[in-house]
Amino acid sequence: MPVSLIIGSQWGDEGKGKIVDLISEEVDIVARYQGGANAGHTICWGDEEFVLHLVPSGIFRENVTCIIGNGVVIDPVAMMEEIDMIKNLGYKVDGRLLVSHNAHLIMPYHKKIEEAREKALEKGAIGTTGRGIGPAYVDKFARVGIRVVDLLDRDVLRRKLTVSIQAKNEILEKVYGAEKLDVEAIIDEYVQFDQLIDPYVTDTAHYIGRALRDGKRILAEGAQGSLLDIDHGTYPFVTSSHPTAGGCSTGLGIPPTAIDRVIGIVKAYCTRVGNGPFVTELFDEVGEHLGKAGAEFGATTGRPRRCGWLDLVALNYSSMINGFTELSVTKLDVLSGLDELKICAQYSFNGNIMDRFPSEAHILEQVEPVYKTFPGWKEDISGASTMDDLPRAAQEYISFIEQETGVRVSMVSTGPKRSQTIQR
Ligand code: GDP
Ligand code: IMO
Ligand code: MG
């Protein structure tokens, strides 16, 4: 069957970029379906490391066509910068990157409104990436958004932008007491994108429809993570899109019946950037160790990521929503050197055991993790190429994940590079 899906099973930064880059060797198309430049997907080979925010992580495989689908919100400035970066590395982009004409745009006023709103929320702030994601999706759903296709007609763009900026200026000034934006300056900047973006724009849903008919293999690359999903995540501490499996269908126009492989990317422990409940968060030296050994700093914002033990209550919830057909466990090497390891297999709430993940943030704030303890291992596992190369304790850690989720672990990642992966 033609469509595979890569999904972050936790709060993002599970190592999706690495796995997409790895698997894209075997596919024809890699497509992003939601989110925007809030994503930071890292790809490593040799001694080089690249972070992609908008362009799909298949771009470094020359056989692959990359698609930015209708469900993505696109900051044209960020996108052109990224295209230049990739071209400067010597990769062909023209003819290999297609951008949906229906995708909505992120404009400077979206970032301004986000900044003002986060500031006004004070302690209740979401801790967003500041990329204008929320306000851009607000406009999309309020049916006042500006789309990629609008960039191609200067008169249309001028008309729509004028109306939009004037409306946003009212909000900025009257609600947030913030500075107004210069209508003409923004219009002058964005009308330039018509020729720059034109070569990439197409009806990507039709392109994908044809590709499916022709038997092409498609890999859909989720951004963020399932627990940041606007419907299924820890609302309101979520992003404004659908990183979960359903988002793939609406965000690309892929029928659900075409999807047969749903790969959940699971970091061997948990991290979270930004605010919101995190049951297994560690505030001790083990948490510090995970942050240090795992280099847990945001690939988009550089913020330190909060770290904690693996949470199987959350993972089982994520698996239920996404229907994972297999799991890919990443960053197992980061656990090396710890005396003992813990996995949260249940929650306790008001003294009662709870197996259900409560996505309600206020309940999640109150539950306590119930841990199962595992022996650690001291060996460096970053060179392992089969499961048998792993210490017994590491094998048992993976087996426990399979046993508790009922989903096969098909890949184990033991380092950031392509070669540091066990494929089973
Ligand atoms: P994404 O957003 O899910 O693509 O993940 P990020 O790129 O934001 O964060 C994952 C980080 O871990 C990146 O720096 C990767 O290079 C790195 N990484 C991925 N897999 C592994 C692994 O198995 N071991 C280690 N040590 N690092 C990894
Ligand atoms: P990748 O694709 C981790 C988090 C932000 C914040 C919340 C809302 O690299 O896994 P937003 O800017 O989206 O409105 O912020 O979501 N967030 C991410 N956390 N990885 C990401 O992407 C994220 N994208 C957004 O930190 O808590
Ligand atoms: Mg990331």
Side-chain angles (χ1 to χ4, degrees), residues 228-281:
L228 290 171
D229 187 280
I230 185 80
D231 276 286
H232 303 292
T234 55
Y235 193 89
F237 301 100
V238 291
T239 190
S240 298
S241 68
H242 291 110
T244 48
C248 168
S249 286
T250 52
L252 287 167
I254 288 181
T257 44
I259 302 165
D260 72 330
R261 194 177 172 202
V262 187
I263 308 168
I265 312 298
V266 184
K267 198 180 279 192
Y269 47 98
C270 279
T271 62
R272 176 164 202 166
V273 223
N275 302 327
F278 181 178
V279 177
T280 60
E281 184 167 14

Side-chain angles (χ1 to χ4, degrees), residues 222-415:
Q224 289 77 56
S226 303
L227 305 177
L228 290 171
D229 187 280
I230 185 80
D231 276 286
H232 303 292
T234 55
Y235 193 89
F237 301 100
V238 291
T239 190
S240 298
S241 68
H242 291 110
T244 48
C248 168
S249 286
T250 52
L252 287 167
I254 288 181
T257 44
I259 302 165
D260 72 330
R261 194 177 172 202
V262 187
I263 308 168
I265 312 298
V266 184
K267 198 180 279 192
Y269 47 98
C270 279
T271 62
R272 176 164 202 166
V273 223
N275 302 327
F278 181 178
V279 177
T280 60
E281 184 167 14
L282 292 166
F283 300 95
D284 58 5
E285 60 282 5
V286 177
E288 252 170 58
H289 170 90
L290 294 175
K292 216 164 163 191
E296 295 296 353
F297 291 91
T300 298
T301 57
R303 290 179 293 178
R305 296 173 181 149
R306 299 154 64 192
C307 297
W309 294 120
L310 181 61
D311 183 342
L312 287 185
V313 183
L315 180 58
N316 275 328
Y317 170 73
S318 182
S319 188
M320 176 185 85
I321 299 289
N322 291 299
F324 294 139
T325 58
E326 59 193 278
L327 300 176
S328 177
V329 175
T330 60
K331 305 192 87 159
L332 189 68
D333 54 301
V334 175
L335 299 180
S336 298
L338 291 168
D339 292 330
E340 59 175 31
L341 306 172
K342 289 185 180 168
I343 294 182
C344 170
Q346 287 176 312
Y347 292 161
S348 148
F349 181 53
N350 291 336
N352 298 315
I353 289 297
M354 184 172 182
D355 294 313
R356 180 184 81 92
F357 180 79
S359 57
E360 302 91 320
H362 68 281
I363 298 179
L364 210 49
E365 291 286 4
Q366 298 170 56
V367 306
E368 297 285 337
V370 179
Y371 287 117
K372 188 169 162 50
T373 303
F374 293 80
W377 61 87
K378 298 286 174 209
E379 295 91 328
D380 173 11
I381 60 168
S382 57
S385 52
T386 68
M387 286 303 281
D388 291 338
D389 295 338
L390 293 178
R392 172 133 232 105
Q395 293 183 31
E396 277 168 10
Y397 192 84
I398 298 293
S399 296
F400 188 70
I401 297 173
E402 287 189 316
Q403 178 196 309
E404 292 295 302
T405 58
V407 186
R408 189 172 69 96
V409 172
S410 61
M411 270 175 279
V412 178
S413 173
T414 56

Side-chain angles (χ1 to χ4, degrees), residues 4 29 32 38 44 65 95 107 146 148 154 184 197 257 261 274 309 320 324 385 398-399 414:
S4 302
I29 294 170
R32 278 275 308 270
N38 48 349
C44 286
T65 300
M107 287 288 160
I146 297 178
V148 166
R154 290 190 176 207
E184 286 306 317
I197 214 164
T257 44
R261 194 177 172 202
W309 294 120
M320 176 185 85
F324 294 139
S385 52
I398 298 293
S399 296
T414 56

Side-chain angles (χ1 to χ4, degrees), residues 139-178:
D139 279 0
K140 170 175 175 170
F141 285 92
R143 296 166 291 183
V144 296
I146 297 178
R147 299 190 294 173
V148 166
V149 66
D150 299 324
L151 276 180
L152 304 182
D153 184 326
R154 290 190 176 207
D155 291 334
V156 171
L157 184 69
R158 186 172 288 280
R159 188 163 39 79
K160 289 195 171 180
L161 266 180
T162 306
V163 173
S164 230
I165 301 168
Q166 281 166 352
K168 298 303 188 283
N169 272 344
E170 292 274 302
I171 298 173
L172 281 169
E173 198 184 25
K174 294 187 180 150
V175 179
Y176 297 110

